[in-house]
Amino acid sequence: MFDIQEIRSQFSILDREVNGKPLVYLDNAATSQKPNSVLEVCHAYYTELNANVHRGIHTLSQLATEEMELSRRKIQKFINAEHDFEVIFTKGTTEGLNLIAYILTQKLQKDDEIIISYLEHHSNIVPWQLLCERTGAKLRVIPIDENGILQMQYFDEFLSEKTKVVSVNQVSNALGIVNPVEEIIAKTRKNTYAYIVIDGAQSAPHFNIDVQKMDCDFFVFSGHKMYAPMGTGVLYGKREILEALPPFHGGGEMIATCSFDGTTYAGLPFKYEAGTPNVGGNIALGAAVDFMNKVGHQNIQNHENALLEYAQRQLLEIEGLKVYGEKAKRTGVVSFNLEGVGISSDVGMILDKMGIAVRTGHHCTQPIMDFFNIAGTVRASFAVYNTFEEIDLLVEGVKKAQRMLA
């Protein structure tokens, strides 16, 4: 049974008011709220277990280690990785993408090519530009059409023996468009030996992820967008690839032996986890996985898709409102503007006065905004605790903003 009120009761923050109005939180693509079960795990770690992991023989250290490694195994199952040591804890998607781009430096040379898409977050653009600067490689960008859909004929054209990396997001954070990653991976495997990187920041909260079935080389996502604390995330990499590539950071935990004559590196996953980890956050990420598993991935997806369909239908009844990517397959996000309203933040500020939290601006996707010749959009994004009544309030708020700003 899917009981939305029971789910909402697990999120204490949803009971608060903002500007004298009940909170309507529709900024989940930026970060989701956290269920009490996740917050309790965070609190329990710092009040009952606080100790560094992997390094101590005392009881607290051993218990903290057990809990963090249990979380790693939960995440392994969550994405269906073959091995738990293929799960690398990170600070989030951005760090994961930068890590991959750095460790691939030795694998690229002048005139090699990296393929990304027009729909990428800056975090899946800038690390590859930096890699191109280091190596002399070139960036190829899959264009989009007027609906925001990737023009795959260009991807077919770009693929060649020069292609060394293909890195795309599974879902656009700005538009919610679901990209054909299965097709991209299949074509890449057939035509090249390129490394395949999938940015799952906006898909892991909404989809059932199976990295083995997907057959990507790397998959990265953030914890804070899927009900876990900020500063948590995961890099999945295939065992044989991670073992062959160099480390990212140097320091404690990632060494097997260290002397002034040289250093040998620890095995996976520790080779890529230098320094003291975010132990409490990593344990809480496992609790977030527990929460999602309990609700059920299909329940989450069905509810959020129904919210999106309802929101788009209601918003499009407003004269002069444009939804970007309206005709594309999407999830979790409706991104729009009002005709005659030049600054999306003006709409966001009026909605905020009504207790409605949305995101405005370019959403760290300036190339998308440039393509549509706009400065930004108003973005409402959904999570499992959102309701149809909240969408009704959003629609009324947008109508009010239109009257005030026209």
Side-chain angles (χ1 to χ4, degrees), residues 266-394:
L268 300 175
F270 309 115
K271 175 182 176 181
Y272 294 102
E273 292 183 352
T276 300
N278 180 1
V279 180
N282 292 343
I283 295 172
L285 179 51
V289 168
D290 290 338
F291 166 78
M292 294 182 69
N293 288 339
K294 185 176 180 180
V295 175
H297 295 276
Q298 197 59 55
N299 285 333
I300 293 172
Q301 189 170 345
N302 290 345
H303 179 64
E304 292 173 344
N305 286 344
L307 290 171
L308 174 59
E309 181 181 349
Y310 182 72
Q312 176 161 301
R313 186 169 65 248
Q314 296 298 105
L315 286 167
L316 284 174
E317 291 183 1
I318 301 174
E319 186 175 354
L321 186 143
K322 176 179 175 59
V323 171
Y324 296 90
E326 174 190 349
K327 297 180 180 179
K329 180 182 178 181
R330 305 200 327 278
T331 189
V333 167
V334 58
S335 196
F336 61 91
N337 276 325
L338 289 168
E339 184 180 332
V341 178
I343 304 176
S344 60
S345 59
D346 289 346
V347 179
M349 286 188 288
I350 292 171
L351 292 175
D352 180 60
K353 295 300 182 183
M354 302 173 67
I356 303 168
V358 297
R359 182 70 45 161
T360 63
H362 57 65
H363 317 299
C364 292
T365 57
Q366 285 184 310
I368 296 176
M369 303 302 139
D370 291 342
F371 176 84
F372 288 109
N373 195 29
I374 54 177
T377 69
V378 181
R379 184 187 70 185
S381 51
F382 312 115
V384 69
Y385 44 69
N386 289 127
T387 67
F388 297 99
E389 292 78 12
E390 289 180 318
I391 291 171
D392 290 337
L393 292 171
L394 169 67

